[in-house]
Coordinates of all heavy atoms in Angstrom, one line a residue:
M1 N 8.3 -58.6 89.0 CA 8.1 -57.1 89.1 C 8.0 -56.6 87.6 O 8.9 -56.9 86.8 CB 9.3 -56.5 89.8 CG 9.3 -55.0 89.8 SD 10.7 -54.3 90.7 CE 9.7 -53.6 92.1
P2 N 7.0 -55.8 87.3 CA 6.8 -55.4 86.0 C 7.8 -54.3 85.6 O 8.3 -53.5 86.4 CB 5.4 -54.8 86.0 CG 5.1 -54.5 87.4 CD 5.9 -55.4 88.2
D3 N 8.1 -54.3 84.3 CA 9.0 -53.3 83.8 C 8.2 -52.0 83.5 O 7.3 -52.0 82.7 CB 9.7 -53.8 82.5 CG 10.6 -52.8 81.9 OD1 11.0 -51.8 82.5 OD2 11.1 -53.0 80.7
N4 N 8.5 -50.9 84.2 CA 7.8 -49.7 84.0 C 8.6 -48.7 83.1 O 8.4 -47.5 83.1 CB 7.6 -49.0 85.3 CG 6.6 -49.7 86.2 OD1 5.7 -50.3 85.7 ND2 6.8 -49.8 87.5
G5 N 9.5 -49.3 82.2 CA 10.3 -48.5 81.3 C 9.4 -47.9 80.2 O 8.3 -48.3 80.0
I6 N 10.0 -47.0 79.5 CA 9.4 -46.4 78.3 C 9.9 -47.1 77.1 O 11.1 -47.3 76.9 CB 9.7 -44.9 78.3 CG1 9.1 -44.2 79.5 CG2 9.1 -44.3 77.0 CD1 9.5 -42.8 79.6
S7 N 9.0 -47.4 76.2 CA 9.3 -48.1 75.0 C 8.7 -47.3 73.8 O 7.5 -47.1 73.7 CB 8.8 -49.5 74.9 OG 9.1 -50.1 73.7
V8 N 9.6 -46.8 73.0 CA 9.1 -45.9 71.9 C 9.8 -46.5 70.6 O 11.0 -46.7 70.6 CB 9.5 -44.4 72.1 CG1 9.0 -43.6 70.9 CG2 8.9 -43.9 73.4
T9 N 9.0 -46.7 69.6 CA 9.5 -47.2 68.3 C 10.2 -46.1 67.5 O 9.8 -44.9 67.6 CB 8.4 -47.9 67.5 OG1 7.5 -46.9 67.0 CG2 7.7 -49.0 68.2
P10 N 11.1 -46.5 66.6 CA 11.7 -45.5 65.8 C 10.7 -44.8 64.9 O 10.8 -43.6 64.6 CB 12.7 -46.3 64.9 CG 13.1 -47.4 65.7 CD 11.8 -47.8 66.5
E11 N 9.7 -45.5 64.5 CA 8.6 -44.9 63.7 C 7.8 -43.9 64.4 O 7.5 -42.8 63.9 CB 7.6 -46.0 63.2 CG 8.2 -47.0 62.2 CD 9.2 -48.1 62.9 OE1 9.1 -48.3 64.1 OE2 10.0 -48.6 62.2
T12 N 7.6 -44.1 65.7 CA 6.9 -43.1 66.5 C 7.8 -41.8 66.7 O 7.3 -40.7 66.6 CB 6.6 -43.7 67.9 OG1 5.7 -44.8 67.8 CG2 5.9 -42.6 68.8
L13 N 9.1 -42.1 66.8 CA 10.0 -40.9 66.9 C 10.0 -40.1 65.6 O 10.0 -38.9 65.6 CB 11.4 -41.4 67.3 CG 11.6 -42.0 68.6 CD1 13.0 -42.7 68.7 CD2 11.5 -41.0 69.7
R14 N 10.0 -40.8 64.5 CA 10.0 -40.1 63.2 C 8.7 -39.4 63.0 O 8.7 -38.3 62.4 CB 10.3 -41.1 62.1 CG 11.7 -41.6 62.1 CD 12.0 -42.5 60.9 NE 13.2 -43.3 61.1 CZ 14.4 -42.8 61.1 NH1 14.6 -41.5 61.0 NH2 15.5 -43.6 61.3
T15 N 7.6 -40.0 63.4 CA 6.3 -39.3 63.3 C 6.3 -38.0 64.2 O 5.8 -37.0 63.7 CB 5.2 -40.3 63.8 OG1 5.2 -41.4 62.9 CG2 3.8 -39.6 63.7
S16 N 6.9 -38.1 65.4 CA 7.0 -36.9 66.2 C 7.9 -35.9 65.6 O 7.6 -34.7 65.7 CB 7.5 -37.3 67.6 OG 6.6 -38.2 68.2
A17 N 8.9 -36.3 65.0 CA 9.8 -35.4 64.3 C 9.1 -34.6 63.2 O 9.2 -33.4 63.0 CB 11.1 -36.1 63.8
A18 N 8.3 -35.4 62.4 CA 7.6 -34.8 61.3 C 6.6 -33.8 61.9 O 6.4 -32.7 61.3 CB 6.9 -35.8 60.5
A19 N 5.9 -34.1 63.0 CA 5.0 -33.2 63.6 C 5.7 -31.9 64.1 O 5.2 -30.8 63.9 CB 4.2 -33.9 64.8
A20 N 6.8 -32.1 64.7 CA 7.6 -30.9 65.1 C 8.0 -30.0 64.0 O 7.9 -28.8 64.0 CB 8.8 -31.3 65.9
D21 N 8.4 -30.6 62.9 CA 8.8 -29.9 61.7 C 7.6 -29.1 61.2 O 7.7 -27.9 60.8 CB 9.3 -30.8 60.6 CG 10.8 -31.1 60.7 OD1 11.5 -30.4 61.4 OD2 11.2 -32.2 60.2
A22 N 6.4 -29.8 61.1 CA 5.2 -29.1 60.7 C 4.8 -27.9 61.6 O 4.4 -26.9 61.1 CB 4.0 -30.1 60.6
I23 N 5.0 -28.1 62.9 CA 4.7 -27.0 63.8 C 5.6 -25.8 63.6 O 5.2 -24.7 63.5 CB 4.7 -27.5 65.3 CG1 3.6 -28.4 65.6 CG2 4.7 -26.3 66.2 CD1 3.7 -29.2 66.9
G24 N 6.9 -26.1 63.4 CA 7.9 -25.1 63.1 C 7.6 -24.4 61.9 O 7.7 -23.1 61.8
H25 N 7.2 -25.1 60.8 CA 6.8 -24.5 59.6 C 5.6 -23.6 59.7 O 5.5 -22.5 59.2 CB 6.6 -25.6 58.5 CG 6.2 -25.0 57.2 ND1 7.1 -24.3 56.3 CD2 5.0 -25.1 56.5 CE1 6.4 -24.0 55.3 NE2 5.2 -24.4 55.4
D26 N 4.6 -24.2 60.4 CA 3.3 -23.4 60.5 C 3.5 -22.1 61.3 O 2.7 -21.2 61.2 CB 2.3 -24.3 61.2 CG 1.8 -25.4 60.4 OD1 2.0 -25.4 59.1 OD2 1.1 -26.3 60.9
L27 N 4.5 -22.1 62.2 CA 4.7 -20.9 63.0 C 5.4 -19.8 62.3 O 5.4 -18.6 62.7 CB 5.5 -21.3 64.3 CG 4.7 -22.0 65.4 CD1 5.6 -22.4 66.5 CD2 3.6 -21.2 65.9
E28 N 6.1 -20.2 61.2 CA 7.0 -19.2 60.5 C 6.3 -18.0 60.1 O 6.7 -16.8 60.4 CB 7.7 -19.9 59.3 CG 8.8 -19.1 58.8 CD 9.6 -20.0 57.8 OE1 9.3 -21.1 57.6 OE2 10.6 -19.4 57.2
K29 N 5.2 -18.1 59.4 CA 4.5 -16.9 58.8 C 3.8 -16.1 59.9 O 4.0 -14.9 60.0 CB 3.5 -17.3 57.8 CG 2.9 -16.2 57.1 CD 2.0 -16.6 55.9 CE 1.5 -15.3 55.2 NZ 0.6 -15.7 54.1
P30 N 3.1 -16.7 60.9 CA 2.5 -15.9 61.9 C 3.5 -15.1 62.8 O 3.2 -14.0 63.1 CB 1.7 -16.9 62.8 CG 1.5 -18.1 61.9 CD 2.6 -18.1 61.0
I31 N 4.6 -15.7 63.0 CA 5.7 -15.0 63.8 C 6.2 -13.9 63.0 O 6.4 -12.7 63.5 CB 6.8 -16.0 64.2 CG1 6.3 -17.0 65.3 CG2 8.0 -15.2 64.7 CD1 7.3 -18.1 65.6
A32 N 6.5 -14.1 61.7 CA 7.0 -13.0 60.9 C 6.0 -11.9 60.8 O 6.3 -10.7 60.8 CB 7.3 -13.5 59.5
T33 N 4.7 -12.2 60.6 CA 3.6 -11.2 60.6 C 3.5 -10.4 61.8 O 3.4 -9.2 61.8 CB 2.3 -11.9 60.2 OG1 2.4 -12.5 59.0 CG2 1.2 -10.9 60.1
A34 N 3.5 -11.1 63.0 CA 3.4 -10.4 64.3 C 4.6 -9.5 64.5 O 4.4 -8.4 64.9 CB 3.3 -11.4 65.4
K35 N 5.8 -10.0 64.2 CA 7.0 -9.2 64.3 C 6.9 -7.9 63.5 O 7.1 -6.8 63.9 CB 8.2 -10.0 64.0 CG 9.5 -9.3 64.1 CD 10.6 -10.2 63.8 CE 12.0 -9.5 63.8 NZ 13.1 -10.3 63.4
A36 N 6.5 -8.1 62.2 CA 6.4 -6.9 61.3 C 5.3 -5.9 61.8 O 5.5 -4.7 61.7 CB 6.1 -7.4 59.9
D37 N 4.2 -6.5 62.2 CA 3.1 -5.6 62.7 C 3.5 -4.8 63.9 O 3.2 -3.5 63.9 CB 1.9 -6.4 63.0 CG 1.2 -7.0 61.8 OD1 1.5 -6.6 60.7 OD2 0.3 -7.8 62.0
I38 N 4.1 -5.4 64.9 CA 4.5 -4.6 66.1 C 5.6 -3.6 65.8 O 5.6 -2.5 66.3 CB 4.9 -5.5 67.3 CG1 5.0 -4.7 68.6 CG2 6.2 -6.3 67.0 CD1 3.7 -4.3 69.1
E39 N 6.6 -4.0 64.9 CA 7.6 -3.1 64.5 C 7.0 -1.9 63.7 O 7.5 -0.8 63.9 CB 8.7 -3.8 63.7 CG 9.6 -4.7 64.6 CD 10.6 -5.5 63.9 OE1 10.6 -5.6 62.6 OE2 11.5 -6.0 64.5
A40 N 6.1 -2.2 62.8 CA 5.4 -1.1 62.1 C 4.6 -0.2 63.0 O 4.7 1.0 62.8 CB 4.5 -1.7 61.0
A41 N 4.0 -0.7 64.0 CA 3.2 0.1 64.9 C 4.2 1.0 65.7 O 4.0 2.2 65.9 CB 2.4 -0.8 65.9
G42 N 5.3 0.4 66.1 CA 6.4 1.2 66.8 C 6.9 2.3 65.9 O 7.1 3.4 66.4
A43 N 7.1 2.0 64.6 CA 7.6 3.0 63.7 C 6.6 4.1 63.5 O 7.0 5.3 63.4 CB 8.0 2.4 62.4
A44 N 5.3 3.7 63.4 CA 4.3 4.7 63.2 C 4.1 5.6 64.5 O 3.7 6.8 64.3 CB 2.9 4.0 63.0
L45 N 4.5 5.1 65.6 CA 4.4 5.9 66.9 C 5.7 6.4 67.4 O 5.9 6.7 68.5 CB 3.7 5.0 67.9 CG 2.3 4.5 67.6 CD1 1.8 3.5 68.7 CD2 1.3 5.7 67.5
K46 N 6.7 6.5 66.4 CA 8.0 6.8 66.8 C 8.1 8.2 67.6 O 8.9 8.3 68.5 CB 8.9 6.9 65.6 CG 10.4 6.8 65.9 CD 11.2 6.7 64.6 CE 12.4 6.0 64.8 NZ 12.5 4.6 64.9
A47 N 7.2 9.1 67.2 CA 7.2 10.4 67.9 C 6.7 10.3 69.3 O 6.9 11.2 70.1 CB 6.4 11.4 67.1
W48 N 6.0 9.3 69.7 CA 5.5 9.1 71.0 C 6.5 8.4 71.9 O 7.3 7.7 71.3 CB 4.2 8.3 71.0 CG 3.0 9.0 70.3 CD1 3.1 9.9 69.3 CD2 1.7 8.8 70.5 NE1 1.9 10.3 68.9 CE2 0.9 9.6 69.6 CE3 0.9 7.9 71.3 CZ2 -0.4 9.6 69.5 CZ3 -0.4 7.9 71.3 CH2 -1.1 8.8 70.4
N49 N 6.4 8.5 73.1 CA 7.3 7.8 74.0 C 7.3 6.3 73.9 O 8.2 5.6 74.1 CB 7.0 8.2 75.5 CG 7.4 9.6 75.8 OD1 8.2 10.2 75.1 ND2 6.8 10.1 76.9
V50 N 6.1 5.8 73.6 CA 5.9 4.3 73.5 C 6.4 3.7 72.2 O 6.7 2.5 72.1 CB 4.4 4.0 73.6 CG1 3.6 4.4 72.4 CG2 4.2 2.5 74.0
G51 N 6.7 4.5 71.2 CA 7.1 4.0 69.9 C 8.4 3.2 69.9 O 8.4 2.1 69.4
P52 N 9.5 3.8 70.4 CA 10.7 3.0 70.4 C 10.6 1.8 71.3 O 11.2 0.7 70.9 CB 11.7 4.0 71.0 CG 11.2 5.4 70.7 CD 9.7 5.2 70.7
D53 N 9.8 1.8 72.4 CA 9.7 0.7 73.2 C 8.9 -0.4 72.4 O 9.3 -1.6 72.5 CB 8.9 1.0 74.5 CG 9.7 1.8 75.4 OD1 11.0 1.8 75.4 OD2 9.1 2.6 76.3
M54 N 7.9 -0.1 71.6 CA 7.2 -1.0 70.8 C 8.1 -1.7 69.8 O 8.1 -2.9 69.6 CB 6.0 -0.4 70.1 CG 4.8 -0.1 71.1 SD 3.4 0.7 70.2 CE 2.8 -0.7 69.3
E55 N 8.9 -0.9 69.2 CA 9.9 -1.4 68.2 C 10.8 -2.4 68.9 O 11.1 -3.5 68.3 CB 10.7 -0.3 67.5 CG 9.9 0.5 66.5 CD 10.8 1.5 65.8 OE1 11.2 2.4 66.6 OE2 11.0 1.4 64.6
R56 N 11.3 -2.1 70.0 CA 12.3 -2.9 70.7 C 11.6 -4.2 71.2 O 12.1 -5.3 71.0 CB 12.8 -2.2 72.0 CG 14.0 -2.8 72.6 CD 14.7 -2.0 73.7 NE 13.9 -1.0 74.4 CZ 13.8 0.3 74.1 NH1 14.5 0.8 73.1 NH2 13.0 1.1 74.8
V57 N 10.3 -4.1 71.7 CA 9.6 -5.3 72.1 C 9.4 -6.2 70.8 O 9.5 -7.4 70.9 CB 8.3 -4.9 72.7 CG1 7.3 -6.1 72.8 CG2 8.5 -4.3 74.1
G58 N 9.0 -5.6 69.7 CA 8.8 -6.3 68.5 C 10.0 -7.1 68.1 O 10.0 -8.3 67.7
H59 N 11.1 -6.4 68.1 CA 12.4 -7.0 67.7 C 12.8 -8.1 68.7 O 13.1 -9.2 68.2 CB 13.5 -5.9 67.7 CG 14.8 -6.5 67.4 ND1 15.7 -6.9 68.4 CD2 15.5 -6.7 66.2 CE1 16.8 -7.3 67.9 NE2 16.7 -7.3 66.5
D60 N 12.7 -7.9 70.0 CA 13.1 -8.9 71.0 C 12.2 -10.1 70.9 O 12.7 -11.2 70.9 CB 13.2 -8.3 72.4 CG 14.3 -7.2 72.5 OD1 15.1 -7.1 71.6 OD2 14.3 -6.5 73.5
W61 N 10.9 -9.8 70.9 CA 10.0 -11.0 70.9 C 10.1 -11.7 69.6 O 10.0 -12.9 69.5 CB 8.5 -10.5 71.1 CG 8.2 -10.5 72.6 CD1 8.2 -9.4 73.4 CD2 7.8 -11.6 73.4 NE1 7.9 -9.8 74.7 CE2 7.6 -11.1 74.7 CE3 7.6 -13.0 73.1 CZ2 7.2 -12.0 75.7 CZ3 7.2 -13.8 74.1 CH2 7.0 -13.3 75.4
G62 N 10.3 -11.0 68.5 CA 10.4 -11.6 67.2 C 11.6 -12.6 67.2 O 11.5 -13.7 66.7
M63 N 12.7 -12.1 67.7 CA 13.9 -12.9 67.8 C 13.7 -14.2 68.7 O 14.0 -15.3 68.3 CB 15.1 -12.2 68.3 CG 15.6 -11.2 67.3 SD 17.1 -10.3 67.8 CE 18.3 -11.6 68.1
A64 N 13.0 -14.0 69.8 CA 12.8 -15.1 70.7 C 11.8 -16.1 70.1 O 12.0 -17.3 70.2 CB 12.2 -14.5 72.0
L65 N 10.8 -15.6 69.4 CA 9.8 -16.5 68.8 C 10.5 -17.3 67.6 O 10.2 -18.4 67.4 CB 8.6 -15.8 68.4 CG 7.7 -15.3 69.5 CD1 6.6 -14.4 69.0 CD2 7.1 -16.5 70.3
D66 N 11.3 -16.6 66.9 CA 12.1 -17.2 65.8 C 12.9 -18.3 66.3 O 13.0 -19.4 65.8 CB 12.9 -16.2 65.0 CG 12.2 -15.5 63.9 OD1 11.1 -16.0 63.5 OD2 12.6 -14.4 63.5
E67 N 13.6 -18.1 67.4 CA 14.5 -19.1 68.1 C 13.7 -20.3 68.5 O 14.1 -21.4 68.4 CB 15.3 -18.4 69.2 CG 16.2 -19.4 69.9 CD 17.3 -19.9 68.9 OE1 17.7 -19.2 68.0 OE2 17.8 -21.0 69.2
L68 N 12.5 -20.0 69.1 CA 11.6 -21.1 69.6 C 11.2 -21.9 68.4 O 11.2 -23.2 68.5 CB 10.4 -20.5 70.3 CG 9.4 -21.5 70.7 CD1 9.9 -22.5 71.8 CD2 8.1 -20.8 71.3
R69 N 10.8 -21.3 67.3 CA 10.4 -22.0 66.1 C 11.5 -22.9 65.6 O 11.3 -24.1 65.3 CB 9.9 -21.0 65.1 CG 9.5 -21.7 63.8 CD 9.3 -20.7 62.7 NE 10.5 -20.0 62.3 CZ 11.5 -20.5 61.6 NH1 11.5 -21.7 61.2 NH2 12.6 -19.7 61.4
K70 N 12.7 -22.4 65.6 CA 13.9 -23.2 65.1 C 14.1 -24.3 66.0 O 14.5 -25.4 65.6 CB 15.1 -22.3 65.0 CG 15.0 -21.3 63.9 CD 16.3 -20.4 63.9 CE 16.2 -19.3 62.9 NZ 17.3 -18.4 63.0
R71 N 14.0 -24.1 67.3 CA 14.2 -25.2 68.3 C 13.2 -26.3 68.2 O 13.5 -27.5 68.4 CB 14.2 -24.7 69.7 CG 15.5 -23.9 70.0 CD 15.5 -23.5 71.4 NE 16.7 -22.7 71.7 CZ 17.2 -22.5 72.9 NH1 16.5 -22.9 74.0 NH2 18.3 -21.8 73.1
I72 N 12.0 -26.0 67.7 CA 10.9 -27.0 67.6 C 11.2 -27.8 66.3 O 11.3 -29.0 66.3 CB 9.5 -26.4 67.5 CG1 9.2 -25.7 68.8 CG2 8.5 -27.4 67.0 CD1 7.9 -24.9 68.8
G73 N 11.4 -27.1 65.2 CA 11.6 -27.8 63.9 C 12.2 -26.8 62.9 O 11.8 -25.6 62.9
G74 N 13.0 -27.3 62.0 CA 13.5 -26.4 61.0 C 14.9 -26.0 61.2 O 15.4 -25.1 60.4
D75 N 15.6 -26.6 62.1 CA 17.0 -26.2 62.4 C 17.8 -27.5 62.6 O 17.2 -28.5 63.0 CB 17.1 -25.3 63.6 CG 18.5 -24.7 63.8 OD1 18.9 -23.9 63.0 OD2 19.2 -25.2 64.8
S76 N 19.1 -27.5 62.3 CA 19.9 -28.7 62.4 C 20.0 -29.2 63.9 O 20.3 -30.3 64.2 CB 21.3 -28.5 61.9 OG 22.0 -27.5 62.6
E77 N 19.7 -28.3 64.9 CA 19.7 -28.7 66.3 C 18.3 -28.7 66.9 O 18.2 -28.6 68.1 CB 20.7 -27.8 67.0 CG 22.1 -28.0 66.7 CD 22.6 -29.4 66.9 OE1 22.3 -30.0 67.9 OE2 23.3 -29.9 65.9
S78 N 17.3 -28.8 66.1 CA 15.9 -28.7 66.6 C 15.5 -30.0 67.3 O 16.2 -31.0 67.1 CB 15.0 -28.4 65.4 OG 14.9 -29.6 64.5
S79 N 14.4 -29.9 68.0 CA 13.9 -31.1 68.6 C 13.5 -32.2 67.5 O 13.7 -33.4 67.7 CB 12.6 -30.8 69.4 OG 12.9 -29.9 70.5
A80 N 13.0 -31.7 66.4 CA 12.7 -32.6 65.3 C 13.9 -33.4 64.9 O 13.9 -34.6 64.7 CB 12.1 -31.9 64.1
E81 N 15.0 -32.7 64.7 CA 16.2 -33.3 64.2 C 16.8 -34.3 65.3 O 17.3 -35.4 65.0 CB 17.3 -32.3 63.8 CG 18.5 -32.9 63.1 CD 18.2 -33.6 61.9 OE1 17.2 -33.3 61.2 OE2 18.9 -34.6 61.6
R82 N 16.7 -33.9 66.5 CA 17.2 -34.8 67.6 C 16.3 -36.0 67.7 O 16.8 -37.1 67.9 CB 17.2 -34.0 68.9 CG 18.3 -33.0 69.0 CD 18.6 -32.5 70.4 NE 17.4 -31.9 71.0 CZ 17.0 -30.6 70.9 NH1 17.7 -29.8 70.2 NH2 16.0 -30.2 71.5
L83 N 15.0 -35.9 67.5 CA 14.1 -37.1 67.4 C 14.5 -38.0 66.3 O 14.6 -39.2 66.5 CB 12.7 -36.7 67.3 CG 12.0 -36.1 68.5 CD1 10.7 -35.4 68.1 CD2 11.8 -37.2 69.5
R84 N 14.9 -37.5 65.1 CA 15.3 -38.3 64.0 C 16.6 -39.0 64.3 O 16.8 -40.2 64.0 CB 15.4 -37.4 62.7 CG 14.2 -37.3 61.9 CD 14.4 -36.6 60.6 NE 14.6 -35.2 60.7 CZ 13.6 -34.4 60.9 NH1 12.3 -34.8 61.0 NH2 13.8 -33.1 61.0
R85 N 17.6 -38.3 64.9 CA 18.8 -38.9 65.3 C 18.6 -40.0 66.3 O 19.3 -41.1 66.3 CB 19.8 -37.9 65.8 CG 20.4 -37.0 64.7 CD 21.6 -36.2 65.1 NE 21.4 -35.4 66.3 CZ 21.2 -34.1 66.3 NH1 21.1 -33.4 65.1 NH2 21.1 -33.4 67.4
T86 N 17.7 -39.8 67.2 CA 17.4 -40.8 68.2 C 16.8 -42.1 67.5 O 17.2 -43.2 67.9 CB 16.4 -40.3 69.3 OG1 17.0 -39.2 70.0 CG2 16.1 -41.4 70.3
A87 N 15.9 -41.9 66.6 CA 15.3 -43.0 65.8 C 16.4 -43.7 65.1 O 16.4 -45.0 65.0 CB 14.3 -42.5 64.9
D88 N 17.3 -43.0 64.4 CA 18.4 -43.6 63.7 C 19.3 -44.4 64.7 O 19.7 -45.6 64.3 CB 19.3 -42.6 63.0 CG 18.6 -41.8 61.9 OD1 17.6 -42.3 61.4 OD2 19.2 -40.8 61.5
G89 N 19.6 -43.9 65.8 CA 20.4 -44.6 66.8 C 19.7 -45.9 67.3 O 20.3 -46.9 67.5
H90 N 18.4 -45.8 67.5 CA 17.6 -46.9 68.0 C 17.6 -48.0 66.9 O 17.9 -49.2 67.2 CB 16.1 -46.4 68.2 CG 15.2 -47.4 68.8 ND1 14.9 -48.6 68.2 CD2 14.6 -47.4 70.0 CE1 14.1 -49.3 69.0 NE2 13.9 -48.6 70.1
R91 N 17.4 -47.6 65.7 CA 17.4 -48.6 64.6 C 18.8 -49.2 64.5 O 19.0 -50.4 64.3 CB 17.0 -47.9 63.3 CG 17.0 -48.9 62.1 CD 16.0 -50.0 62.2 NE 14.6 -49.4 62.2 CZ 13.6 -50.0 62.7 NH1 13.7 -51.2 63.3 NH2 12.4 -49.4 62.7
Y92 N 19.9 -48.4 64.6 CA 21.2 -48.9 64.5 C 21.5 -49.9 65.6 O 22.0 -51.0 65.4 CB 22.2 -47.8 64.6 CG 23.7 -48.2 64.6 CD1 24.4 -48.7 63.5 CD2 24.3 -48.3 65.9 CE1 25.7 -49.1 63.6 CE2 25.6 -48.7 66.0 CZ 26.3 -49.1 64.8 OH 27.6 -49.6 64.9
N93 N 21.1 -49.6 66.8 CA 21.3 -50.5 67.9 C 20.6 -51.8 67.8 O 21.1 -52.9 68.1 CB 20.9 -49.8 69.3 CG 21.9 -48.8 69.7 OD1 23.1 -48.9 69.4 ND2 21.4 -47.8 70.5
E94 N 19.3 -51.7 67.3 CA 18.6 -52.9 67.0 C 19.3 -53.8 66.0 O 19.3 -55.0 66.1 CB 17.2 -52.6 66.5 CG 16.3 -52.0 67.5 CD 15.9 -53.0 68.6 OE1 15.5 -54.1 68.2 OE2 16.0 -52.6 69.8
D95 N 19.8 -53.2 64.9 CA 20.5 -53.9 63.9 C 21.8 -54.6 64.4 O 22.1 -55.8 64.1 CB 20.9 -53.0 62.7 CG 19.6 -52.6 61.9 OD1 18.5 -53.2 62.1 OD2 19.7 -51.6 61.1
V96 N 22.5 -53.9 65.2 CA 23.8 -54.4 65.8 C 23.5 -55.6 66.7 O 24.1 -56.6 66.7 CB 24.6 -53.3 66.5 CG1 25.7 -53.9 67.3 CG2 25.1 -52.3 65.4
T97 N 22.4 -55.4 67.5 CA 22.0 -56.4 68.5 C 21.6 -57.7 67.7 O 22.0 -58.8 68.0 CB 20.9 -55.9 69.4 OG1 21.4 -54.8 70.1 CG2 20.5 -57.0 70.4
A98 N 20.8 -57.5 66.7 CA 20.3 -58.6 65.8 C 21.5 -59.4 65.2 O 21.6 -60.6 65.2 CB 19.4 -58.2 64.8
Q99 N 22.5 -58.6 64.7 CA 23.7 -59.2 64.1 C 24.5 -60.0 65.1 O 25.1 -61.1 64.8 CB 24.6 -58.1 63.5 CG 24.0 -57.6 62.2 CD 24.9 -56.5 61.6 OE1 25.9 -56.1 62.2 NE2 24.5 -55.9 60.5
S100 N 24.5 -59.6 66.3 CA 25.3 -60.3 67.4 C 24.7 -61.7 67.6 O 25.4 -62.6 68.1 CB 25.4 -59.5 68.6 OG 24.1 -59.5 69.3
F101 N 23.4 -61.9 67.3 CA 22.8 -63.2 67.6 C 22.8 -64.1 66.3 O 22.5 -65.3 66.4 CB 21.3 -63.0 68.0 CG 21.2 -62.6 69.4 CD1 21.0 -61.2 69.7 CD2 21.4 -63.5 70.5 CE1 20.9 -60.8 71.1 CE2 21.3 -63.0 71.8 CZ 21.1 -61.7 72.1
R102 N 23.2 -63.5 65.2 CA 23.3 -64.3 64.0 C 24.7 -64.9 63.9 O 25.7 -64.3 64.4 CB 23.1 -63.4 62.8 CG 21.7 -62.9 62.6 CD 21.5 -62.2 61.3 NE 20.3 -61.4 61.4 CZ 20.2 -60.1 61.3 NH1 21.3 -59.4 61.0 NH2 19.0 -59.5 61.4
G103 N 24.8 -66.0 63.2 CA 26.2 -66.6 63.0 C 27.0 -65.7 62.1 O 26.4 -65.1 61.1
R104 N 28.2 -65.6 62.3 CA 29.1 -64.8 61.4 C 29.7 -65.6 60.4 O 30.1 -66.7 60.5 CB 30.1 -64.0 62.3 CG 29.4 -63.0 63.1 CD 30.4 -62.3 64.0 NE 29.6 -61.5 64.9 CZ 29.8 -60.2 65.2 NH1 30.7 -59.6 64.6 NH2 29.1 -59.6 66.1

């Protein structure tokens, strides 16, 4: 019976972590710009009924998008960091297993 398990190398995990960090970094400026733009529009329309709602939406979406960016990469608990820790654990396990087969 064939093994249908998943096999991923530590190098692939590290490459994926680097990609996640790059995505998180690339999102930083567009998110900040979008947040500032919608908040500025809300401030400009403060006298209208829609103004405060726009400011609130800008704030709430800005916070949500910032959190998403951090979860992708750029935070100690991001997906990128978890991928790196998984790669470290994989490498550690491989080393320990190899040592167990060597004479002591």
Side-chain angles (χ1 to χ4, degrees):
M1 176 176 247
D3 179 12
N4 293 324
I6 296 173
S7 177
V8 180
T9 65
E11 293 76 22
T12 300
L13 293 168
R14 291 187 195 290
T15 300
S16 297
D21 279 334
I23 291 167
H25 177 73
D26 290 349
L27 287 173
E28 194 168 358
K29 188 173 181 180
I31 289 171
T33 300
K35 183 179 173 184
D37 288 350
I38 192 73
E39 287 177 347
L45 299 172
K46 199 170 205 87
W48 295 26
N49 290 339
V50 73
D53 290 337
M54 286 180 72
E55 284 182 298
R56 192 169 30 261
V57 166
H59 176 266
D60 293 349
W61 271 98
M63 288 182 61
L65 291 172
D66 276 338
E67 182 62 28
L68 174 64
R69 181 190 58 78
K70 289 177 189 174
R71 286 184 180 197
I72 293 170
D75 189 71
S76 63
E77 293 302 316
S78 68
S79 294
E81 190 56 34
R82 289 193 304 273
L83 286 165
R84 273 189 283 283
R85 286 194 305 259
T86 300
D88 291 345
H90 188 296
R91 181 63 66 206
Y92 173 80
N93 286 334
E94 289 290 314
D95 291 344
V96 168
T97 301
Q99 285 178 0
S100 72
F101 286 100
R102 293 187 197 119
R104 293 179 191 228

